[in-house]
């Protein structure tokens, strides 16, 4: 008999009642009395289990003993309306096969609540929990939705390189890529490492962003996006930073910063709507999970909204659009700033916004997503379009509740001379970047783009609190197990 996935079985119509099906999956729980055993099986296709009800006299005793949490089984049986509460259907088992045992003394995932910290230590098995099943199914749907959104708008997906020869973006510390022998590194006459002898004949790194190459493509194909892994070797051990994360970077010719903001807002709303439409059961589970966790916290640490309510709230509100200077004024005059509550006091125009500031703007002041534009040029990258005031650039950050910065982007400087001068001021190696400058020499046009951190989006959509729990295998300082 062909196996039926549980997701399809639970969707079966009345006509399937009384028919035989084969289900395969992993045991979540087993309860057995003298005559009857209830086996709850999950195969990951959906958050719900199917319950198999078996006459114990029909199952080999050793098989029955070994049907424990985590074991894999195949059950053939008749689909019937459930007698118990909480499920529509169940399987009246005719045949129960044990596929793989899971020694209950050693299997770490038991049918009880495990802490997320503990589950990170057994990340190879945490997929088998409801929480990580839900997160990873939602992650899939969000990846698919990103491609659908851009494809439907006529954007082309470009693969930008993962190994890069330029370290000019300045977005973060980089990981070196080399085949040189560390115990016997070739040296130049002045004692420096001789990268001419390295694999690529030059120093190379893992990319921090696909933007610069994305710009090359946009200045020919008009509207492109990249969606690839990016790597940052900063030693930041926070709930919002990974050393390896995925970034979505659209880049558009003939877009100014307003077009850029419109696209960012439209995209975020599309992705959230997509999750609400396609991940109902998983979102409901995470919603209820968060509510339960919250109820254990002191009132002032609780989330102001339930997860699904918060997602809907984003759809219903226009994002607030303000300049850095407006944000600075709000923050400087804010209560927490006056009372010395910020770890980084807001005193002088020009300071970078910290996540505590971003969250104040979003959660306390405007009470909705905020897009901040026109940042001081000193705190932003060399490629951002310079404003006429000589002080600010056309950068834009999208700030979200609970997350802070979810998107960073800008209108790009398309003027060759201005870009060249800025690179000189910021000590960007122009010689290495000749190809980037060439786009401004040949047929330059106004253009813009941004980067959405995919795991930051996942944090928001799932309501999970730590970025290590929204990527299957997190890479953070001192941690690359699995
Ligand atoms: O603001 P960032 O550094 O911008 C860029 O890399 C630009 N080249 C993007 C562009 O214009 N094409 O990073 C963009 C986004 C951030 O807003 C954040 O969501 C995410 O990437 N991000 C991280 N996510 C997880 N871990 C980290 N260490 C991250 N650093 C940035
Ligand atoms: Mg940024």
């Amino acid at each position: 008999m062909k196996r039926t996935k549980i997701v399809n079985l639970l969707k079966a119509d009345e006509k399937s009642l009384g028919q035989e099906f084969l289900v395969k999956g992993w045991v979540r729980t087993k309860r057995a009395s003298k005559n009857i055993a209830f086996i709850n099986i999950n195969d990951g296709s959906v958050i719900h289990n199917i319950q198999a009800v078996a006459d114990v006299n029909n199952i080999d005793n050793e098989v029955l003993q070994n049907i424990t949490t985590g074991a894999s089984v195949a059950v053939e049986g008749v689909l019937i309306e459930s007698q118990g509460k909480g499920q529509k259907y169940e399987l009246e088992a005719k045949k129960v096969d044990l596929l793989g045992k899971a020694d209950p003394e050693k299997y770490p995932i038991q049918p009880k609540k495990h802490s997320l910290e503990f589950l990170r230590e057994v990340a190879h098995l945490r997929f088998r929990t409801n929480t990580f099943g839900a997160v990873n199914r939602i992650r899939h749907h969000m990846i698919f939705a990103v491609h659908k959104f851009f494809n439907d708008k006529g954007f082309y997906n470009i693969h930008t390189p993962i190994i890069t020869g330029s370290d000019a973006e300045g977005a973060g510390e980089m990981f070196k890529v080399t085949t040189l022998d560390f115990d016997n590194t070739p040296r130049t006459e002045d004692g420096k490492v001789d990268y001419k002898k390295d694999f690529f004949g030059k120093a190379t790194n893992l990319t921090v962003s696909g933007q610069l190459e994305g710009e090359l493509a946009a200045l020919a194909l008009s509207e492109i996006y990249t969606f690839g892994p990016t790597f940052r070797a900063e030693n930041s051990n926070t709930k919002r930073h990974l050393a390896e994360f995925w970034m979505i970077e659209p880049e558009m010719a003939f877009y100014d910063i307003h077009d850029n903001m419109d696209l960012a807002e439209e995209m975020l709303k599309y992705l959230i709507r997509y999750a609400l439409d396609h991940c109902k059961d998983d979102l409901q589970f995470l919603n209820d999970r968060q509510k339960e966790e919250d109820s254990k916290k002191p009132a002032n640490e609780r989330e102001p909204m339930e997860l699904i309510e918060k997602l809907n709230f984003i759809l219903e509100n226009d994002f607030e659009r303000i300049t850095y200077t407006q944000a600075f004024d709000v923050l400087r005059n804010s209560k927490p700033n006056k009372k010395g509550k910020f770890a980084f006091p807001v005193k002088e125009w020009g300071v970078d916004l910290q996540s505590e500031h971003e969250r104040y703007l979003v959660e306390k002041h405007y009470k909705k997503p905020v897009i901040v534009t026109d940042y001081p040029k000193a705190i932003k990258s060399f490629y951002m379009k310079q404003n006429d005031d000589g002080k600010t650039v056309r950068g834009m950050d999208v700030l979200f509740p609970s997350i802070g910065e979810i998107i960073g982007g800008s209108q790009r400087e398309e003027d060759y001379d201005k870009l060249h001068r800025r690179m000189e001021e910021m000590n960007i190696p122009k010689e290495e970047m000749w190809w980037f400058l060439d786009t401004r020499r040949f047929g330059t046009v106004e253009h813009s783009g941004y980067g959405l951190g995919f795991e930051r989006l996942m944090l928001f959509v799932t309501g999970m609190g730590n970025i290590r729990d929204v990527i299957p295998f997190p890479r953070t300082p001192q941690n690359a197990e699995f």
Side-chain angles (χ1 to χ4, degrees):
M1 198 187 291
K2 249 181 103 180
R3 168 196 170 218
T4 302
K5 286 208 238 176
I6 293 171
V7 65
N8 296 326
L9 200 57
L10 295 178
K11 276 195 286 203
D13 57 21
E14 307 274 300
K15 274 182 258 154
S16 306
L17 286 171
Q19 312 241 3
E20 282 199 23
F21 292 92
L22 168 64
V23 162
K24 295 183 181 182
W26 294 267
V27 174
R28 284 295 174 82
T29 57
K30 181 191 71 177
R31 263 185 311 126
S33 65
K34 217 159 52 178
N35 293 316
I36 201 160
F38 298 96
I39 308 165
N40 269 299
I41 305 162
N42 188 281
D43 68 1
S45 61
V46 62
I47 191 147
H48 308 294
N49 305 328
I50 186 104
Q51 173 163 276
V53 185
D55 181 343
V56 269
N57 305 307
N58 288 344
I59 312 176
D60 177 84
N61 201 36
E62 202 192 318
V63 168
L64 188 64
Q65 290 305 314
N66 282 312
I67 294 181
T68 55
T69 299
S72 46
V73 292
V75 177
E76 268 180 62
V78 178
L79 192 69
I80 56 168
E81 232 152 343
S82 177
Q83 314 291 305
K85 269 198 238 138
Q87 68 253 341
K88 193 165 153 209
Y89 298 139
E90 56 192 30
L91 267 192
E92 197 176 60
K94 292 255 177 320
K95 187 161 176 276
V96 179
D97 286 325
L98 179 68
L99 303 177
K101 297 186 214 176
D103 183 347
E105 301 284 305
K106 301 197 176 117
Y107 184 63
I109 315 279
Q110 290 303 319
K112 61 161 199 170
K113 198 153 192 120
H114 291 293
S115 74
L116 295 172
E117 289 78 10
F118 169 74
L119 291 173
R120 270 172 231 145
E121 289 168 23
V122 290
H124 58 309
L125 294 169
R126 68 178 179 171
F127 289 106
R128 296 192 191 177
T129 63
N130 281 332
T131 301
F132 287 91
V135 166
N136 284 293
R137 280 185 296 269
I138 294 171
R139 194 176 157 104
H140 160 79
H141 285 293
M142 289 293 90
I143 295 167
F144 186 79
V146 166
H147 287 296
K148 181 158 170 51
F149 174 78
F150 286 113
N151 181 66
D152 289 354
K153 288 186 102 55
F155 282 56
Y156 296 111
N157 182 219
I158 296 291
H159 285 156
T160 50
I162 292 169
I163 300 174
T164 166
S166 77
D167 61 0
E169 233 239 289
E173 291 297 308
M174 302 183 99
F175 290 101
K176 291 190 170 67
V177 174
T178 181
T179 53
L180 291 179
D181 179 358
F182 286 166
D183 296 323
N184 188 17
T185 31
R187 301 270 163 183
T188 58
E189 271 172 16
D190 51 4
K192 297 223 170 92
V193 174
D194 187 2
Y195 286 107
K196 285 214 174 64
K197 304 247 163 65
D198 203 349
F199 189 90
F200 295 105
K202 64 190 292 198
T204 49
N205 299 291
L206 292 179
T207 188
V208 293
S209 154
Q211 177 196 327
L212 301 187
E213 291 90 351
E215 283 191 44
L216 311 182
L219 292 175
L221 301 173
S222 283
E223 293 171 331
I224 66 94
Y225 70 105
T226 72
F227 186 174
T230 49
F231 307 87
R232 299 194 184 176
E234 296 135 280
N235 198 2
S236 37
N237 244 318
T238 79
K239 291 180 174 180
R240 289 171 301 105
H241 287 88
L242 290 164
E244 175 181 293
F245 64 100
W246 291 71
M247 193 161 31
I248 294 130
E249 295 181 275
E251 194 69 35
M252 298 75 63
F254 317 112
Y255 273 50
D256 68 12
I257 193 163
H258 303 288
D259 305 321
N260 206 25
M261 287 191 275
D262 290 344
L263 183 73
E265 182 167 344
E266 185 189 343
M267 177 196 69
L268 287 166
K269 286 180 168 164
Y270 177 93
L271 296 174
I272 291 167
R273 155 85 29 232
Y274 193 95
L276 286 165
D277 289 346
H278 293 83
C279 311
K280 279 204 177 71
D281 291 0
D282 287 326
L283 282 178
Q284 190 63 52
F285 171 82
L286 292 171
N287 184 91
D288 298 346
R289 181 188 175 281
Q290 187 187 67
K291 203 162 131 189
E292 199 199 313
E293 293 288 301
D294 249 22
S295 66
K296 296 180 209 151
K297 292 183 187 160
N300 62 339
E301 283 174 29
R302 287 184 201 153
E303 289 288 334
M305 284 183 210
E306 285 183 25
L307 175 61
I308 292 176
E309 191 186 354
K310 191 170 77 174
L311 298 178
N312 277 307
F313 175 78
I314 300 291
L315 301 182
E316 287 155 13
N317 285 283
D318 288 340
F319 296 4
E320 188 74 32
R321 300 181 184 192
I322 57 170
T323 63
Y324 167 90
T325 304
Q326 286 171 305
F328 171 77
D329 285 337
V330 167
L331 289 166
R332 196 184 42 182
N333 296 319
S334 69
K335 251 194 214 153
N337 196 48
K338 287 183 172 158
K339 289 190 173 167
K341 292 270 163 67
F342 284 141
F344 297 86
V346 179
K347 286 201 195 108
E348 288 194 31
W349 189 94
V351 292
D352 205 354
L353 301 185
Q354 305 294 329
S355 97
E356 57 178 347
H357 307 139
E358 296 172 340
R359 293 188 59 177
Y360 175 84
L361 290 170
V362 172
E363 291 164 26
K364 297 281 179 330
H365 192 82
Y366 292 103
K367 297 191 165 52
K368 54 178 161 166
V370 174
I371 311 183
V372 182
T373 59
D374 301 286
Y375 281 85
K377 65 178 182 183
I379 58 172
K380 288 291 181 189
S381 301
F382 73 93
Y383 51 69
M384 293 194 182
K385 185 172 174 65
Q386 297 158 39
N387 282 320
D388 293 336
D389 63 10
K391 291 194 318 199
T392 58
V393 289
R394 307 233 88 182
M396 64 162 218
D397 279 5
V398 181
L399 314 179
F400 254 40
S402 332
I403 312 289
E405 180 190 337
I406 192 163
I407 282 181
S410 75
Q411 187 170 335
R412 317 306 190 191
E413 183 54 78
E414 83 270 22
D415 182 284
Y416 179 88
D417 293 326
K418 286 188 186 162
L419 181 62
H420 194 269
R421 221 174 303 129
R422 192 71 190 133
M423 288 172 88
E424 242 159 30
E425 283 167 14
M426 294 180 78
N427 287 320
I428 308 288
K430 296 185 302 299
E431 306 69 35
E432 270 181 35
M433 300 281 292
W434 61 272
W435 45 270
F436 187 69
L437 280 159
D438 256 9
T439 51
R440 276 66 171 176
R441 295 208 303 151
F442 306 121
T444 192
V445 299
E446 181 174 78
H447 64 290
S448 300
Y450 61 80
L452 165 67
F454 184 61
E455 285 75 19
R456 298 260 174 106
L457 173 76
M458 281 298 298
L459 275 177
F460 187 75
V461 171
T462 62
M464 299 295 285
N466 192 316
I467 202 161
R468 292 165 177 79
D469 298 329
V470 296
I471 186 166
F473 304 105
R475 298 288 178 257
T476 50
Q478 299 299 309
N479 171 36
E481 193 75 43
F482 310 113

